[in-house]
Amino acid sequence: MKKKLLLASILRPFLSLIPSTNGVVVITLHNIEEIYYDWFEELIVMIQNSYGFINPEDFNTEKNSDCIKVLLTFDDGFFSNKIVSDKILSKYGVKALFFITEGFIGLNENQAYDFASTNIYPNSVISNDKKKQQSMSWDDVKSLSVQGHSIGAHSKTHPKLIDLKKDELEDEIVVSSQRIENILNINIDTFAFPFGTPNVVTPEAVNLSKNKFRYVFSNVRGNVNSSPCNYFIFRQNIVPGDPMWLIQNMIEGKLDWKYKNAQKISHKLFSNL
């Protein structure tokens, strides 16, 4: 985080010289701790005033836009997502797409902490405050759906898909989403790959996702128009606390040049599937 901010700060005077990229931009967030609630509200106001949100139900990769619009997504299923939805998104009339990890939903405090530290953040050190890693209950997820938000699937256990056998892949991607549909009594036509980079997502996983979903999202930076296909859609990952000027440059595509290699690999692997 500090390294990214330092580099961006050094380059900030030159970013204004880079033209903005129009089209739909998908941003993704994960857990939002209480200390960042005010920051999150500032983010929502900034996006609404500067660009505008699109409802997930209106998302369509075949529609081009001559301006920038933002689709808001959340990954994993942290309880903090429900809180900011109730406190902030409802206040501004913003609808979001929540990708939930089946095995994370409904866990008690200790179980959720262990799941988050082992499965969601396997290479990171997370806070010892277990309340900060609390997951949503199934009733919480149902409430989001009733409020007009969209629910997507995010696997059963949040694995690195490259490590799985074919039957395990199918359970994580397809069968898990069907179980979520049965629990919530809804149709799910979107999926987000866990981790979502081309070094952990395989062509086999993308092909499986095509059998079930209309749109599948990655974690490679870029806007929708630059994505290789509907089954590996680029997103801009936002970290709580990121300054607004940095987020604006992300949304406008002015930092995408840093991720050209990941984009190039993604196109090579997935554009012809």
Side-chain angles (χ1 to χ4, degrees):
M1 173 65 179
K2 291 181 179 179
K3 184 178 179 180
K4 179 185 73 173
L5 267 178
L6 177 61
L7 178 59
S9 297
I10 293 171
L11 295 174
R12 186 176 180 182
F14 304 99
L15 295 179
S16 62
L17 303 176
I18 301 175
S20 300
T21 303
N22 289 329
V24 175
V25 177
V26 185
I27 66 170
T28 183
L29 295 107
H30 297 78
N31 194 12
I32 302 175
E33 296 180 10
E34 186 175 1
I35 60 171
Y36 293 113
Y37 290 172
D38 288 343
W39 168 89
F40 181 76
E41 183 166 9
E42 183 183 0
L43 172 70
I44 295 303
V45 171
M46 182 274 288
I47 293 174
Q48 195 165 59
N49 291 340
S50 300
Y51 312 105
F53 288 98
I54 64 169
N55 190 306
E57 293 183 357
D58 298 326
F59 180 76
N60 189 332
T61 58
E62 295 179 2
K63 291 183 179 180
N64 294 321
S65 176
D66 57 1
C67 60
I68 297 173
K69 293 292 183 180
V70 174
L71 173 65
L72 176 63
T73 69
F74 294 83
D75 284 4
D76 303 327
F78 286 97
F79 182 62
S80 64
N81 298 172
K82 179 67 165 57
I83 295 176
V84 297
S85 173
D86 290 346
K87 289 180 176 291
I88 300 168
L89 296 186
S90 61
K91 180 178 177 180
Y92 297 96
V94 176
K95 301 303 180 185
L97 172 52
F98 294 84
F99 293 107
I100 63 168
T101 305
E102 179 197 1
F104 186 48
I105 304 301
L107 298 180
N108 64 37
E109 190 174 285
N110 289 331
Q111 292 170 331
Y113 180 85
D114 290 341
F115 188 101
S117 60
T118 302
N119 296 46
I120 298 175
Y121 302 117
N123 300 315
S124 303
V125 178
I126 63 176
S127 169
N128 290 326
D129 185 349
K130 294 184 177 181
K131 290 183 178 180
K132 293 181 178 180
Q133 309 303 326
Q134 184 178 351
S135 63
M136 284 191 281
S137 67
W138 285 109
D139 284 341
D140 292 330
V141 180
K142 290 177 183 177
S143 176
L144 290 174
S145 180
V146 169
Q147 291 169 17
H149 297 289
S150 296
I151 306 300
H154 194 44
S155 80
K156 176 185 177 181
T157 63
H158 204 278
K160 292 183 178 179
L161 299 177
I162 196 171
D163 296 332
L164 303 184
K165 298 177 182 178
K166 184 176 180 180
D167 60 333
E168 295 172 321
L169 269 179
E170 187 165 3
D171 187 60
E172 290 282 351
I173 296 173
V174 178
V175 181
S176 175
S177 69
Q178 293 170 339
R179 288 192 293 262
I180 296 171
E181 288 178 323
N182 291 334
I183 293 171
L184 301 178
N185 194 29
I186 62 172
N187 177 61
I188 292 177
D189 64 359
T190 56
F191 182 81
F193 288 119
F195 305 104
T197 53
N199 62 315
V200 295
V201 178
T202 62
E204 290 77 14
V206 173
N207 274 323
L208 263 179
S209 71
K210 292 171 63 176
N211 298 328
K212 166 63 179 165
F213 306 104
R214 184 182 182 192
Y215 297 120
V216 182
F217 296 80
S218 74
N219 200 30
V220 174
R221 292 192 184 275
N223 75 358
V224 172
N225 291 339
S226 63
S227 306
C229 62
N230 287 347
Y231 307 100
F232 201 81
I233 297 171
F234 294 157
R235 294 190 288 176
Q236 297 285 358
N237 185 61
I238 306 297
V239 177
D242 277 350
M244 294 301 133
W245 67 264
L246 178 61
I247 297 171
Q248 286 182 294
N249 280 292
M250 291 179 187
I251 290 173
E252 294 174 10
K254 295 184 178 183
L255 293 171
D256 287 356
W257 56 270
K258 290 181 58 185
Y259 307 94
K260 285 298 183 184
N261 188 52
Q263 290 183 354
K264 187 181 297 184
I265 294 172
S266 300
H267 277 270
K268 183 177 180 180
L269 289 174
F270 308 126
S271 61
N272 294 321
L273 297 180

